[in-house]
Amino acid sequence: PPPLTGVWVGDSKVCAIGVHCGNHITSHGLALNCCTDLTWFDHIVPCGLEGKGVTSLSQELGRHVTVDHVLEPFLNSFQEVFGCTLVFAEDPG
């Protein structure tokens, strides 16, 4: 809910989205909690939001969900929503 960014399930964030601008450089990022060890969030105030929690797809769905499970459908949806084509760099290794 505005002004809170990200994707929420109730009062718990499952996906964080961030943008930083400075020195003529824009950085952006996205973190989707798939099977994250959520106990680490017990030691901090996630995203600086008092009284809010963090969840994961695994916790919400009641089964183990890995990044490999969601990567392809996520990228396909991203392309559809933003009307773009993702281009992948070749592995330098």
Side-chain angles (χ1 to χ4, degrees), residues 3-87:
L4 306 176
T5 62
V7 178
W8 293 79
V9 177
D11 273 346
S12 296
K13 187 181 264 195
V14 70
C15 180
I17 302 167
V19 177
H20 176 265
C21 301
N23 297 324
H24 307 287
I25 297 172
T26 302
S27 303
H28 54 278
L30 181 137
L32 177 61
N33 295 330
C34 293
C35 52
T36 307
D37 178 359
L38 300 174
T39 60
W40 290 101
F41 293 103
D42 294 339
H43 306 284
I44 64 170
V45 178
C47 303
L49 301 171
E50 294 280 349
K52 302 294 181 187
V54 178
T55 190
S56 68
L57 293 176
S58 293
Q59 181 170 307
E60 294 302 319
L61 296 174
R63 62 182 173 86
H64 188 69
V65 179
T66 67
V67 172
D68 288 338
H69 288 123
V70 300
L71 188 58
E72 186 175 346
F74 174 84
L75 295 176
N76 290 340
S77 294
F78 185 95
Q79 291 179 106
E80 183 179 325
V81 167
F82 291 101
C84 66
T85 301
L86 298 175
V87 178

